[in-house]
Amino acid sequence: MFKRRGRHVAPALAAFLTCAIALTTAPAEAGAHPGPVHPSLRKHLAAYYDFEHPVRGDPARERDLGFSRTDIGLVGGGARMRTEDGAHRGSRTSLQVRQVNPETKGNDDWKAGVHGPSGVPSLRAFNSVEGMTVMGWFKMTGPNPGLNSNTAAPDDRYGAVGLAGVLSGDSDGHAVRGLLEIIEVDGELRLVALGRRLDGAGSQTFAASRDWRSLLPVGEWVFLAATFDFGTGAMALYRDGRRLDGFYTVPGDPWDLSGPGPHRASPTDPRGIKIGGSFPQNTAERNPCDCRMDSLMFLDSAVGGDRIRAQYRLVTAR
């Protein structure tokens, strides 16, 4: 009896040890990450933040799990900005951003990002890029837009709410190459994708037709995505994996696509990433968001709706 069991245990143990060795010695995939990301997105995932990976020795910074390895700072609140409120079943924590002193002009808002005055070399994937995508989870946690701390009027509010985006190659911390935002369009706030192909040139905005408050109700996690195709001028917005109806707000050809192609973004490294408001270098305040964010992705391609739906379903399937 004992001899028969031994004959079966030995091969099983050997197979187990072989598998274990293979797992521990296999080379890591380029740009590999521990978070739940759909395989079709991984090769384009330049930057990815799940707010569960502080930089070792510096909890006020968040580690980039994308292939660019562009770590960002948690500005204003540091490690306190990580909140035990995951957006989906694969997440435990998220990032809280907010306005701190709306009656006082200062630099104490909670936001996140990185800024390099001559560009951020690790973000070279967005240099001369043909297209890009910004997506992630967002949850409104307070009144938006915030009171304008840069004016004396007590009831003056900002005309925009900053969500997340990649800065242009000549940005002072505000101008972007691609951004998810809530901004005034013809006097009405709307959820938009805002893109700029060429540094210093005009931007185009694609605005969702639906009331932004129905798209981002207070207290509810929502998965948003914005895509920017610099070759064709096409832009799109998605909510929970579904494409939103919308319209372009700038007439004419702000991206200068009338000449011969192919058309790409400017051949400059972006000056950084901004999350939850402008000026990640913390020199000024503008367009704060009283909200939480989770699993933010910045991709070097204008990915299709099928991949955006696949990502949403990956983390919400039961």
Side-chain angles (χ1 to χ4, degrees):
M1 180 177 182
F2 288 102
K3 291 181 180 180
R4 285 197 299 270
R5 182 182 300 172
R7 287 197 301 270
H8 290 288
V9 169
L13 179 60
F16 172 79
L17 291 174
T18 300
C19 181
I21 292 171
L23 288 172
T24 56
T25 59
E29 178 187 353
H33 47 75
V37 175
H38 194 270
S40 68
L41 300 179
R42 291 178 182 172
K43 69 178 181 179
H44 297 296
L45 193 59
Y48 172 48
Y49 309 99
D50 65 2
F51 304 106
E52 297 180 9
H53 292 82
V55 171
R56 183 174 297 179
D58 189 355
R61 293 179 59 78
E62 180 69 18
R63 184 156 59 92
D64 176 15
L65 304 179
F67 65 74
S68 78
R69 300 294 189 259
T70 307
D71 299 339
I72 57 173
L74 308 187
V75 181
R80 293 176 294 157
M81 297 167 64
R82 294 189 185 88
T83 306
E84 293 184 1
D85 181 18
H88 51 83
R89 63 182 178 86
S91 174
R92 296 169 296 176
T93 64
S94 57
L95 178 75
Q96 177 74 58
V97 293
R98 63 184 179 89
Q99 191 174 35
V100 176
N101 290 303
E103 292 85 16
T104 305
K105 184 176 182 179
N107 296 320
D108 52 7
D109 285 353
W110 286 16
K111 53 192 174 184
V114 61
H115 181 267
S118 58
V120 178
S122 61
L123 293 175
R124 189 147 297 165
F126 299 105
N127 181 318
S128 299
V129 73
E130 294 180 350
M132 56 185 292
T133 301
V134 178
M135 62 180 168
W137 289 85
F138 302 87
K139 178 180 181 179
M140 299 293 106
T141 54
N144 288 294
L147 291 170
N148 192 337
S149 60
N150 294 306
T151 65
D155 57 352
D156 182 26
R157 292 187 176 272
Y158 288 103
V161 181
L163 297 178
V166 176
L167 300 178
S168 62
D170 60 351
S171 179
D172 62 351
H174 180 67
V176 294
R177 191 159 285 172
L179 173 71
L180 262 169
E181 187 175 37
I182 300 162
I183 195 171
E184 278 190 13
V185 176
D186 295 330
E188 183 177 354
L189 285 170
R190 293 188 182 275
L191 174 67
V192 307
L194 190 153
R196 177 178 288 101
R197 185 175 79 87
L198 300 174
D199 294 347
S203 63
Q204 178 62 280
T205 300
F206 182 82
S209 299
R210 280 177 56 185
D211 189 319
W212 78 272
R213 291 163 295 190
S214 70
L215 295 172
L216 284 160
V218 175
E220 179 180 327
W221 280 109
V222 176
F223 183 64
L224 298 178
T227 62
F228 310 84
D229 188 326
F230 295 124
T232 66
M235 302 165 67
L237 284 169
Y238 298 82
R239 181 187 188 270
D240 290 347
R242 297 180 179 178
R243 187 164 182 163
L244 293 172
D245 291 333
F247 56 95
Y248 295 96
T249 69
V250 182
D253 185 18
W255 283 5
D256 192 21
L257 298 175
S258 59
H263 300 291
R264 298 170 175 264
S266 288
T268 55
D269 295 339
R271 288 194 177 178
I273 289 172
K274 67 176 184 177
I275 297 168
S278 293
F279 306 106
Q281 70 272 42
N282 207 26
T283 56
E285 296 176 344
R286 194 179 304 177
N287 303 338
C289 185
D290 194 330
C291 56
R292 291 176 184 170
M293 306 181 184
D294 197 2
S295 302
L296 297 183
M297 301 179 176
F298 301 86
L299 299 104
D300 64 351
S301 175
V303 300
D306 54 341
R307 297 189 189 188
I308 293 170
R309 285 190 297 275
Q311 175 59 32
Y312 174 72
R313 291 169 179 168
L314 176 70
V315 299
T316 58
R318 298 297 178 185

